Amino acid sequence: MDIGGLETVVANSAYVAARGDVDGGSGGRDRKMRARLKLPHVLQLEEARARTLALHPEPSNPSLPSFERVCNLEPIGRQLFRQFLDTQKEFRPAGQLLQACEDMDTSEDSEKPEAAKKIVAEHMGDKNAASFCPFLSAAAAQSARANGSFAEALAETLEHLRAHALAKYVGSPHYLRYLQFKWLEMQPMGEEWFSDFRVLGKGGFGEVCACQAKATGKLYANKKLNKKRLKKRGGYEGAMVEKLILEKVHSRFIVSLSYAFQTKQELCLVMTIMNGGDLRFHIYDVDEANPGFTEARTLFYSAQIVCGLEHLHQHRIIYRDLKPENVLLDDMGHVRLSDMGLATELQEGEDKTKGYAGTPGFMAPELVKGELYDYSVDYFTLGVTIFEMIQAKGPFRYRGEKVENKEVKRRILNDSVAYSDRFSADCRETCEALLAKDPAKRLGFRDGSCNELKKHRFFAAMNWGRLQAGMLEPPFVPDSKTVYAKDVNEVGAFSSVRGVTIVEEDKDFYDSFSTGSNPISWQEEIIETGVFQELNLWPADGSLPNDLCKDKLPTSEGASGRSSACTVL
């Protein structure tokens, strides 16, 4: 074995061992760094309170924080708000109704009718029942009884809680506990919090390597952008656009941004790590004698891609670069969209944009022609991707085919797509609807959702609620002992950058880029790794923990939820 091969073996061994530690529980943590995740005393929370209110005020009452943000979108905020509801007799039925509807949405289709009947009986039936919800309108209750539709009831429940529970929650100990976690989330974040493992690949401005958060043990991918290379190639704007888009979206079907910080030489984007490789690799390289996927496997990945596209489009973002190599598998076999470098956000008041972006063979006709376009271009690329997953070649360009882009454009604009017997009638019908050359006739995003696409016969058997909750079993699970990446010596090294001087203006850009923790992703990490459960401790007798008592000042070692407590007045 040569030195390069030995280096890869050593790097892979350390990386696989780290993955095993994480799978086993709280392994991989650095005790000293974990000890720094300590909740502050209540007297230290004013900045967190003010910043939360300034960043996310409630539209109907700016003196309160956003109900949608702190009680629903943020994972820790959501959990603490639900815990608060459970302690309040007047709001407990509303919290129970929300949970029951969420459980029903993620249940098997055969179980949903019975679950719906139970919700109606417990929350809309007996007015004397402890779980009865008197704030629901007769129309909402009737819709639930007659059609099994709880959309109206859920909307009224959330509005009731916004109007009546939010102010009381903000005045509660549970909100103070939320602010304690926000304080932790706001602390400066840098390279000292992470351990790097092997290089996974490289982009135009630097390497992508596997890394581990020392305090929690969670694994991530660290995309490193060399500052000098970024400046020399005029990459500032593109890097910031990608970062802002990654910050704005949060879906289990899109690679998430967790941290953004800088080192002396690099800007770092710490993101979801996808250990299973990309779809292009699995289509062609796993079984070279039988490339491509079965229709069942294609259906699963396509449905998850649809959920990712829907989320982007609901945030007014056009992806523009969907293709198999940008769809990555995680350890469990679920897929996420990656690489937002070509994505663009429609500004308020705009419904279309213009600009040549994408990959030859995937771009929609209207984009190829230089016309204005909207989200529909992404559904054309979805049709190309589905076709390639099944046929193991593109509809307009074969793998390895030496053809000029001019000819590829001609095919996209003029040629019809030929389907083999590998496509069922339903799959072919969906592909044809996605690959319609006229965007007005193309299947896709309509009226704020992909419901029309989701109801197509190709997706008829899909339980979308369970899929979106991550509860469906993937058709393929990557080998946990395999590193789906090039050998370390094959990744290649960057040459040094010469003739570039970093000035104050550059440093200002680096500072604006380095925003630290991304709230939703950070909170998910804290919950998933068990840190939230370890820190969110409350005395069994109903009193307050010392760190929430203004008259119980912290000792030199800090306050602890297990120590003596003051009484709630």
Side-chain angles (χ1 to χ4, degrees), residues 109 180 313 367 461 471:
D109 289 338
Q180 287 180 311
H313 298 158
L367 196 156
M471 297 175 68

Side-chain angles (χ1 to χ4, degrees), residues 395-408:
F396 307 108
R397 183 180 186 179
Y398 304 159
R399 187 190 187 206
E401 182 184 14
K402 295 182 179 180
V403 57
E404 293 185 1
N405 287 341
K406 183 178 180 180
E407 170 60 15
V408 176

Side-chain angles (χ1 to χ4, degrees), residues 539-559:
D541 61 4
S543 59
L544 286 179
N546 281 353
D547 57 17
L548 291 181
C549 293
K550 292 183 178 181
D551 58 343
K552 295 277 188 176
L553 298 179
T555 64
S556 58
E557 296 181 355

